Amino acid sequence: MSSATSPDVIIEAFVAGIHPYFDYVLTATAFSACLFTLLIVLFAFSTKESRRRLVFQLNVLAICVAMTLGILLSVGGGKAMMDPFNQVSKSVYIAALVFGIFPPVLYDSILLSRLFALYPISTTPASTLLKIFAFPFCIKCARVIVVAVGFHQYVSSELTTASLEEAAPSAWYRNSKMIAEWGMQIADNLYSVTIFLYNLRIRTSSVTRVGGVAERIRQIFFISAANFVFPLIFNIAQIILITTDRSPTIGALLFMINNYTTVVGVLCATLWFSGSEWVRTRNEPAFDQVVHSPKPNSGMDRITGGSSGSEVVVLCGGSVTLGSTGSGSASELAGGCNALEKENKYVLV
């Protein structure tokens, strides 16, 4: 009987051994493919102006880092499944850990960089910048230090990849360094999003009724809130798992998903603005374009009620008849220009 069941036991043990690696490879492949597609779309909808922005460049860097993590996880997981007794070298294993646990600080810095749209470095006093950015800077430094200490303690405890994986459950369970990192990440994101949304509401309260600015502000609000809510949910789930589950499999999987969803969320915010900007640059005339068009037709102007022979000035996507008897045309045009200027000013994603 034992000889008959022996192959089944071996197969079940083999499947149980490669199952975590299969989950890692599947998750990394799916999200990496998604990020690669979004990267192409990001460049397709970007303009020369948007590509010069810091947020765009940080998004590209974040995508490259996340895709590198996916490649390392796929290599390590594929090797573990195909050749369980000859796994990847320790350097590859360590590289995967580095690209997994340190980049969340980068991803959160992209969210923090939106505050520079409300507090430009060139015009904001140094004391105000210090008050606003001192806390997130200090907490990010503390996060890097805590993660670096925990990472060094783990990788220096063993000499081979197999021994590191064997020590993973004990290093994972109730790891104070990771609990502190995730707790500080919650505080970091909460501060950045709260300051951003509060100042967005205060500074745009006077322009919320102008054109499409109100809709844009609402969209920015929901995007920023979503970029905080989803990582918050994952962070809470990770803290619960690390304190209750001795196996790091599910917790590591949630950690990976949290990293990828954070990148996707920040990227979608940039894609939303890049798409709208791409459409606007192709469907609307340039902001400073002024075209004078004489109107030789006799009689009254059917739009403004002006006299014949007047000139139409096209400015900011609108038109006004000069030298006409109609009232309010120039002021309406100026109001439209001011609205467009205000709308272009609040480029926050």
Side-chain angles (χ1 to χ4, degrees):
M1 178 67 68
S2 61
S3 60
T5 58
S6 178
D8 296 335
V9 173
I10 294 174
I11 293 174
E12 291 177 359
F14 175 76
V15 172
I18 68 172
H19 188 269
Y21 303 107
F22 176 79
D23 292 339
Y24 299 154
V25 171
L26 183 63
T27 303
T29 303
F31 278 102
S32 297
C34 177
L35 287 177
F36 181 74
T37 304
L38 291 176
L39 179 62
I40 296 176
V41 175
L42 178 63
F43 275 100
F45 284 107
S46 64
T47 61
K48 291 183 179 180
E49 180 184 355
S50 64
R51 285 192 291 270
R52 288 194 297 264
R53 294 194 180 100
L54 177 63
V55 174
F56 181 90
Q57 298 168 2
L58 289 177
N59 271 284
V60 174
L61 177 61
I63 294 174
C64 294
V65 170
M67 292 179 63
T68 303
L69 173 62
I71 293 173
L72 293 173
L73 289 174
S74 299
V75 171
K79 184 69 173 177
M81 288 188 294
M82 302 302 296
D83 191 2
F85 301 103
N86 187 21
Q87 297 187 12
V88 295
S89 63
K90 183 181 177 180
S91 59
V92 176
Y93 185 83
I94 291 176
L97 289 177
V98 169
F99 279 90
I101 63 178
F102 285 100
V105 179
L106 169 64
Y107 306 152
D108 296 336
S109 298
I110 299 176
L111 296 176
L112 181 65
S113 65
R114 297 179 183 179
L115 290 177
F116 288 110
L118 300 175
Y119 298 96
I121 297 179
S122 59
T123 59
T124 305
S127 58
T128 303
L129 290 175
L130 182 62
K131 293 176 183 178
I132 296 297
F133 294 99
F135 175 77
F137 177 78
C138 292
I139 201 170
K140 281 177 171 57
C141 292
R143 290 174 59 185
V144 172
I145 293 173
V146 168
V147 172
V149 171
F151 172 77
H152 180 265
Q153 291 177 351
Y154 174 62
V155 299
S156 61
S157 61
E158 304 294 340
L159 299 177
T160 63
T161 302
S163 58
L164 282 173
E165 292 190 344
E166 291 177 0
S170 59
W172 160 266
Y173 185 60
R174 295 183 178 178
N175 189 308
S176 59
K177 307 296 190 303
M178 296 307 299
I179 294 175
E181 147 66 6
W182 294 331
M184 287 188 291
Q185 185 179 10
I186 293 175
D188 189 5
N189 290 342
L190 179 62
Y191 175 85
S192 300
V193 172
T194 302
I195 294 296
F196 175 79
L197 294 180
Y198 174 77
N199 282 275
L200 178 67
R201 180 179 180 275
I202 295 299
R203 292 169 179 251
T204 59
S205 59
S206 60
V207 297
T208 53
R209 294 182 177 86
V210 180
V213 179
E215 181 63 25
R216 172 165 293 190
I217 292 173
R218 282 194 295 269
Q219 291 172 348
I220 292 174
F221 174 84
F222 289 123
I223 290 173
S224 301
N227 287 341
F228 167 72
V229 170
F230 288 108
L232 173 65
I233 295 174
F234 281 109
N235 283 336
I236 294 175
Q238 289 167 187
I239 293 175
I240 294 174
L241 284 173
I242 201 173
T243 55
T244 58
D245 190 2
R246 292 183 179 273
S247 175
T249 302
I250 300 178
L253 194 61
L254 281 180
F255 183 73
M256 289 172 51
I257 296 174
N258 187 14
N259 282 359
Y260 283 115
T261 53
T262 301
V263 177
V264 171
V266 176
L267 177 61
C268 285
T270 305
L271 278 175
W272 165 79
F273 172 74
S274 297
S276 61
E277 188 178 54
W278 183 85
V279 172
R280 185 170 61 251
T281 55
R282 282 156 177 77
N283 292 343
E284 294 183 359
F287 176 75
D288 57 350
Q289 180 182 3
V290 178
V291 179
H292 292 79
S293 175
K295 296 180 62 178
N297 295 334
S298 59
M300 300 294 291
D301 189 289
R302 61 178 180 176
I303 298 178
T304 62
S307 59
S308 61
S310 59
E311 290 184 338
V312 176
V313 179
V314 180
L315 179 63
C316 306
S319 62
V320 61
T321 304
L322 300 181
S324 64
T325 58
S327 61
S329 299
S331 60
E332 290 175 2
L333 177 60
C337 294
N338 293 333
L340 184 55
E341 288 177 349
K342 291 179 180 179
E343 184 174 351
N344 289 335
K345 179 181 177 182
Y346 296 104
V347 177
L348 305 175
V349 291

